[in-house]
Amino acid sequence: MGDTLFISDLHLHHTRPETSAAFFRFIKQQARQAEALYILGDLFEVWLGDDQLDHDPLSQQVCQSIATLAPAGVAVFFMHGNRDFLIGNRFADSAKVTLLQDPTTITVKNKNYLLLHGDTLCTDDVAYQQFRALTRDPAWQQATLAKAYAERVALAQMIRARSDSEKATKAEDIMDVSPDTVAAVLRQHGYIDMIHGHTHRPARHSHFIDGHECIRHVLADWHDEAQFLGLTDMALATCKRPPQ
């Protein structure tokens, strides 16, 4: 029986071929030996709707690569991030992945874990939370997906530029998780350990809440190094990038 692996925040895009190469290598090597793989959001830099598969060769290649895990007996689960929240059933069916709600509780080796992308924990960033609520609204998503693909490309570029501009003026701690929100979520879910990404600040945190010790594992982004979390030793492992 293989391990259970977790990744997030790869932000795959044609402008970062080295990250894509590391991902394909990870799928062929570590992921293929696993029992299950959980992708906790932001697999892609941007997702404009499942018809992106008709326009972007890299998206097609990523989808096909993930689909190779199913015949190998690896169960793959996907949770939306703040960059790829428009991923839908067409992608899920093609990649042979199961879509997860955020948050989701899983049980592995008789232990419960709470999985999140992580952006819902960053409640000090009020402007972002307002934007998140808007973009998760079914009516907004339906209206957006009804636009021509080229319009969605332009919309995504505009949103990205505005986000980058706003980030430049925000304090760093505002974009990290809120300790009070983390405590409230852990309390709500019965003091179980938590795994999330989003913040790009990989670490293992201990939280003592109401007499309970809860561990919060923060997954790494893949901009500088390809990393994944395995449940065997609950440590971030490195997937070596292929030679350039």
Side-chain angles (χ1 to χ4, degrees), residues 48-126:
L48 304 172
D50 283 359
D51 56 344
Q52 183 165 314
L53 292 169
D54 301 323
H55 297 271
D56 179 44
L58 176 61
S59 297
Q60 298 172 12
Q61 191 177 2
V62 170
C63 183
Q64 293 165 0
S65 178
I66 296 172
T68 65
L69 295 177
V74 183
V76 184
F77 302 88
F78 179 86
M79 180 178 288
H80 296 99
N82 56 292
R83 299 293 187 89
D84 47 23
F85 57 85
L86 288 177
I87 278 180
N89 291 330
R90 178 184 169 188
F91 174 87
D93 293 342
S94 298
K96 297 179 170 44
V97 304
T98 300
L99 299 179
L100 298 178
Q101 295 295 316
D102 184 351
T104 287
T105 300
I106 64 170
T107 303
V108 180
K109 299 176 183 176
N110 299 316
K111 184 175 175 61
N112 294 329
Y113 298 90
L114 181 66
L115 309 182
L116 311 89
H117 174 58
D119 55 341
T120 56
L121 302 173
C122 303
T123 53
D124 292 335
D125 191 345
V126 176

Side-chain angles (χ1 to χ4, degrees), residues 228-242:
F228 59 92
L229 181 71
L231 280 184
T232 297
D233 53 10
M234 294 308 290
L236 282 168
T238 299
C239 175
K240 297 296 185 184
R241 290 185 185 272

Side-chain angles (χ1 to χ4, degrees), residues 125 166-176 201:
D125 191 345
E166 291 174 349
K167 278 184 179 179
T169 63
K170 288 180 182 178
E172 281 293 318
D173 57 343
I174 288 179
M175 293 182 285
D176 200 358
R201 302 178 184 189

